[in-house]
Structures are given as structure tokens and as C-alpha cells.
Amino acid sequence: MVQSLPLRTRLLAVRLLLLCLSSILAVPGALSQVLADDPIESLSIESIQERADAAAAAPGLDDARKTTLAEVYRNAIGNLETAAAHRATIDEFLEAIERGPEKLARLRAEIAARSDAGETALPEVSGMSLAEIERELRGEKAELAVQESKLAEIKAEIERERDRPAVIRRQLGEAQDELEQLPSAQLPRAGADQSTDLAMARRWAARARMERLRAEVLKLEQEVASLPVRLDLLQAQRDLAELALEGTQRRVQALESAATRQRRKEAEQAKSDARAAEREAASEHPLVADLAARNAALGEQIDELADAIGGISGAELDALAQTKRIEDTFSRTQQKTQVAGVSQALGQLLLEQRRNLPDIDQLEKEAEARANRIAKAMLSQIMLEEERADLRDLSAYVSKLSSQIPPAESAEISPALRRLAQSRRALIDKALSVQRTYLRHLGELDFAKSRLAETARRFDAFLDKRLLWVRSSQPAGLDT
């Protein structure tokens, strides 16, 4: 019967129940009596603000009294604003309790549907150029970064919620203690030593403070009540985000493989064409043969870089996968130690986990080597860009090459030099494109490895604190 009521009616019933329960929260007797004498039945920010504005404009009050009243009214308004924020949060927790199971069912159904659907369809790359594949790849990588960030936020929220019960218990105790310890001295009645306005303002401030504390207690109680369903929702969101991330990772890997294949194909073709031109120019004028040989060397460089990019992409994926494994193990280990502490049996497992962590010193050496590779590649790129600028004017480029030989000889070999210069310009464009891709992949690998090293350091530091008193071997006995 209750379930057939509209959601708004059910939430209202729950709120009324909370208000009834709030009446049993401890309120000192002196405070209750003073508040009972207050002629104002209910407080509002608007009514207090009106009184504060009237006091500020009152001609019969001196500046010192106006300042005191303004401070008391500001304090009362601040407490009422905080109480309103607590009540809004209570509504959110109530809605989580009410709607959470329905949302959870939908999320689990979506997870099941995605799991039953099997692996994500991979992008169709046949007939696509390298530029088109790389453009598609950049889009998928951008989506991957968004999904990784979203998943990290969900996991962090889960960890915060798991830590909340202990914090809530402390905050709840503090709020209840403060309620019980509200001294009647803070609630002076009007007397000979103070104005009626000031006494009323202080009574209002005390009521506002009590309202804030009671709202805080109710908020904390509802946070505890709604925590199981909110955790279930977060964990389902995490599972769904992980499925989406895995699908994007598979698409990225497929596009990376396609780009690597196409890049190698184009690099091999460029190298083959440059070698053929070198063979044809072998018996030509030394300047022609030299330029052909330089083109062939550049073709070799392009091919080597294309091969290296494939290896860098694989290393990046391995680093990302290793980081995820360590993060997952770290999270599970934190939960185990929070629940059960560090027993000797668990300590031995932690020792094994520590031994399986990557060598951080080796990761730092690899980072230094990558920095050198990046610097070398950037220098090469600068040099190629300078030569590419020279090749904008082919006639001037050829004239410079043949400036040290007789004019007649120069005129004879000029057509061959011009053809090779045109080929070199195309090769440099290809080399610069591959260089940019190479540097981008090196940067992505460096980021992935840095993240791996940082994750390993954090896990190692966590283990170090908890393994201080754990034996690293079994105690000696008859069998050891």
C-alpha cells in the first residue's frame, strides 16, 4: 500500500517522521524555557534581515550597539543558511533511499546488456589513409582520457564514501555534544544592563544555532542511512564506466595497429623509392649521387622511426595495463587492512605484493633515456624544418648545391638535382610527419611510465608503513 503512494507523498511522510524524531534530540532545559518565552514562533532569514536592517537605520542606537547587533544578526543568518543547506542535503539522501533501488536496477540491466553484447565493434579502417586513421585515433584517445578521468572520480568517490562512517560518528558526537552543552548564559534575557533588542537578537541567534545543529544531526543520520544504496550506485557506475573504458581501449588499440601498419607501408615505400633513385644516380655526377644518397639515408630514418613508433605504442599500453593492475591491487589491499588490520598471514601477502612492484630505480633510468631520445628527436626535427624552409625555392636550393662547379657543368646536372630536390622535399615532409608522431608517442609513453612510477611509489610507501613489524620469513622450527 505504501509503495503505491506518489513519490512526493512518501518523501513528505519521511520528512515528517524525521521532524518528530528531531524532537527527542537533547536540548538543555534552560534553553528550552528561554526559547519557549520567545514571542517569535519561527525564524527566517528574511525576518532576521528585516530586523537587522531596521537596527542599522534606527536613529536612537549608537554605532557600537549597531555594530554588536549587526554581528549577532549575521551569525544568526549564517546558522540558518547552513541549516537550510543541511535540509537540502537531507532531501538528496532521502531521494537516494527512495529512488536508489530503481536506478541501481537500471544500471545493472545496462551492465548486463553490454556484457551480453560481447566485445565492442572495432572501427572499419580499410580504404582509410594514414591521416584519416590518425584523426580517428586522436578522437578516440580524447574520449579515452575523458573516460579515465570519469572513472578515477568515481573510484575516488567510492573511497571517500567508505571512509565516511568513522567521520560521521565523530561529527555526530560533536554536534550532539554541542547541543547538550548550549549554556543558558548565551541566552540572556532583557535586563538593566542590555537593551531588549540585543537580548532578542541573541535569543534568535541561539535558536538559529540550535536549528543548525539539529539539522546537522539529521543530515548525518540520513547520510548513514543512505550510504549502502549510494555505495551500490557508485559501484555500479564504476562497473559501467569500466566497460565503456575497455571498449574505447580496444578501439584505440585497433586504430593504433592500423596506423602502425599504414605508416610502415608508406615508410617502406619511401625507402624503396629513395634506394632506387640512389642506384640510378650511382654513376651520375658526384653531386647528384651525393644528394641521392642523402635521400636514401632519410628514407632509412623514416622507416626506423615508423618501426620505433609501433614499439612505443606497445610499451605505452603495457604501462597503462600495469598501472591499472597496481591501482586495483592497491585499492583491495587498503580495504583488507582497514577491515582486518595486518595479520602475519596478510603481512606475507603484502610482502609478496611489494616484491612484485616494478623497480622504481629502473623506471627512473628509463625516464632519463626517454628524455635523451626526445631531445635528440627534437634537434633532428629542427634541422629538417630548416632544410624544408630552404627547399621552398628549388632553384635557389639547386644553385647552392652546384655553386662550386663550373656553370656549364652546373647547367648539365641541374635537371637531375632538381628532381632529387623535389623528392627530398617530399621525403622531409614525410619525415617531419613521422617525427611529430614519434615525439607525441614518446610523450604519451613518458606520461604513462611516470604514472606507473608514481602509483608504484604510493603503493610501496603504503606497504612500508604496514610491514614494519611483519616478519619477512617464517619463524625457525623443526621443519625450517
Side-chain angles (χ1 to χ4, degrees), residues 169-346:
R169 284 193 296 271
R170 175 178 57 77
Q171 292 177 338
L172 194 56
E174 291 172 353
Q176 289 172 331
D177 288 345
E178 191 175 350
L179 266 173
E180 293 170 359
Q181 294 170 11
L182 278 176
S184 59
Q186 295 184 4
L187 302 166
R189 299 169 184 270
D193 59 341
Q194 57 181 319
S195 71
T196 301
D197 282 347
L198 184 56
M200 179 69 74
R202 285 176 172 164
R203 288 201 296 275
W204 284 11
R207 284 191 57 176
R209 181 183 176 196
M210 186 191 72
E211 187 170 340
R212 185 259 299 171
L213 289 168
R214 293 173 68 177
E216 181 180 358
V217 169
L218 292 175
K219 182 203 73 170
L220 293 169
E221 289 174 343
Q222 283 309 298
E223 184 177 359
V224 171
S226 63
L227 183 58
V229 68
R230 288 187 293 109
L231 262 178
D232 285 343
L233 282 169
L234 284 170
Q235 289 166 347
Q237 290 169 1
R238 177 201 60 197
D239 295 343
L240 190 59
E242 286 179 339
L243 281 174
L245 182 65
E246 290 168 3
T248 305
Q249 286 173 334
R250 283 193 290 271
R251 290 194 297 273
V252 167
Q253 291 174 14
L255 288 168
E256 288 278 20
S257 298
T260 297
R261 290 193 301 271
Q262 186 67 18
R263 193 179 296 111
R264 284 176 173 167
K265 180 181 177 181
E266 293 183 7
E268 287 172 0
Q269 184 63 50
K271 181 176 71 172
S272 176
D273 291 345
R275 281 179 174 174
E278 182 185 24
R279 287 193 297 271
E280 291 177 4
S283 59
E284 298 287 336
H285 190 280
L287 287 178
V288 174
D290 179 66
L291 184 55
R294 287 168 54 203
N295 284 356
L298 184 56
E300 293 282 352
Q301 182 183 346
I302 293 170
D303 190 51
E304 290 172 2
L305 285 176
D307 285 339
I309 290 169
I312 293 169
S313 297
E316 180 193 355
L317 293 174
D318 290 343
L320 293 173
Q322 192 175 4
T323 300
K324 185 178 184 304
R325 286 195 298 271
I326 295 174
E327 288 175 341
D328 291 344
T329 304
F330 191 2
S331 178
R332 290 193 298 269
T333 302
Q334 285 177 309
Q335 294 175 34
K336 290 175 184 176
T337 55
Q338 286 173 357
V339 171
V342 182
S343 63
Q344 185 63 30
L346 181 56

Side-chain angles (χ1 to χ4, degrees), residues 107-120 147 150 239-248 250-251:
L107 284 171
R108 286 176 173 168
E110 187 175 354
I111 291 169
R114 290 198 180 192
S115 299
D116 293 342
E119 292 190 357
T120 305
Q147 291 176 343
K150 179 181 177 181
D239 295 343
L240 190 59
E242 286 179 339
L243 281 174
L245 182 65
E246 290 168 3
T248 305
R250 283 193 290 271
R251 290 194 297 273

Side-chain angles (χ1 to χ4, degrees), residues 312 315-316 319 363-372 374 438-454:
I312 293 169
E316 180 193 355
L363 289 175
E364 290 176 350
K365 291 178 182 178
E366 292 175 3
E368 185 177 351
R370 277 193 306 276
N372 292 332
I374 291 172
Y438 175 74
L439 283 168
R440 186 178 72 248
H441 279 268
L442 269 181
E444 291 170 354
L445 174 61
D446 194 60
F447 178 78
K449 287 284 191 175
S450 296
R451 182 179 163 192
L452 171 61
E454 178 58 28

Side-chain angles (χ1 to χ4, degrees), residues 65-126:
R65 186 53 57 94
K66 287 182 178 181
T67 300
T68 301
L69 282 169
E71 180 62 29
V72 173
Y73 285 134
R74 276 197 301 270
N75 180 270
I77 290 173
N79 277 319
L80 289 180
E81 288 174 341
T82 302
H86 288 332
R87 287 192 292 271
T89 305
I90 289 171
D91 288 345
E92 293 174 5
F93 290 147
L94 289 171
E95 187 168 358
I97 294 172
E98 180 69 23
R99 294 187 178 274
E102 180 184 346
K103 292 180 179 178
L104 183 61
R106 287 200 302 269
L107 284 171
R108 286 176 173 168
E110 187 175 354
I111 291 169
R114 290 198 180 192
S115 299
D116 293 342
E119 292 190 357
T120 305
L122 299 180
E124 178 57 51
V125 296
S126 60

Side-chain angles (χ1 to χ4, degrees), residues 347-418:
Q348 294 301 320
L349 176 62
L350 298 186
L351 284 170
E352 182 63 24
Q353 289 175 345
R354 191 177 196 181
R355 284 192 286 267
N356 290 334
L357 286 175
D359 187 336
I360 295 175
D361 290 339
Q362 179 60 33
L363 289 175
E364 290 176 350
K365 291 178 182 178
E366 292 175 3
E368 185 177 351
R370 277 193 306 276
N372 292 332
R373 290 174 68 184
I374 291 172
K376 183 179 178 181
M378 291 180 69
L379 179 59
S380 175
Q381 187 175 21
I382 291 171
M383 294 173 67
L384 286 172
E385 287 172 347
E386 289 176 348
E387 186 174 2
R388 180 63 180 81
D390 292 340
L391 281 162
R392 281 198 294 266
D393 187 341
L394 289 177
S395 298
Y397 184 85
V398 170
S399 296
K400 184 177 179 181
L401 287 177
S402 57
S403 61
Q404 302 300 315
I405 62 176
E409 190 177 346
S410 174
E412 183 179 353
I413 65 172
S414 180
L417 286 176
R418 189 178 183 87

Side-chain angles (χ1 to χ4, degrees), residues 41-61:
E41 295 182 357
S42 63
L43 291 180
S44 69
I45 293 174
E46 292 77 13
S47 63
I48 296 178
Q49 187 61 57
E50 288 176 4
R51 182 60 67 94
D53 293 340
L61 294 178

